[in-house]
Amino acid sequence: MHANGASFFFISTMAAAFLGYCSIPFVVPFIIAALVIMHFMALHVHGSSNPLGITGNLDRLPMHGYFVFKDLITVFVFLIAFSLFVFYSPNTMGHPDNYIPGNPLVLPASIVPE
């Protein structure tokens, strides 16, 4: 499951979004989660391949040690940047109307009839 698997996951996620309000959208995320787990199991057993189908077992690097460390660095850099944004500049994305004290007698100007 390389390119076909990724497109199948994309299509199933779009199906979950466009199904609307019936009994099916509740079940579709669980189906997608089961498909992801089956995909991981298939990757564990058969390994990953490339579009040409050429096996590169001699050139493979182990996941633990190389890629886990690289991913952890990315996660920590994101968490540091996110923490700086949240703790030192929390109102950057705020709307100016949020700082107007509430008055129950005056309707905000942004609320208009259709």
Side-chain angles (χ1 to χ4, degrees), residues 24-103:
I24 295 174
F26 176 75
V27 181
V28 173
F30 295 109
I31 293 172
I32 293 172
L35 289 173
V36 168
I37 290 171
M38 289 191 299
H39 180 71
F40 285 155
M41 288 175 14
L43 281 175
H44 181 72
V45 172
H46 300 291
S48 183
S49 66
N50 55 26
L52 297 176
I54 300 170
T55 60
N57 292 334
L58 299 175
D59 296 337
R60 287 194 181 167
L61 296 173
M63 177 77 173
H64 182 67
Y66 294 103
F67 298 109
V68 172
F69 182 72
K70 182 180 79 104
D71 291 342
L72 283 177
I73 287 175
T74 305
V75 167
F76 284 130
V77 167
F78 170 76
L79 286 177
I80 288 172
F82 184 71
S83 296
L84 289 172
F85 186 73
V86 167
F87 293 123
Y88 291 109
S89 182
N91 297 323
T92 301
M93 302 294 280
H95 195 275
D97 289 345
N98 290 336
Y99 300 100
I100 299 173
N103 185 356

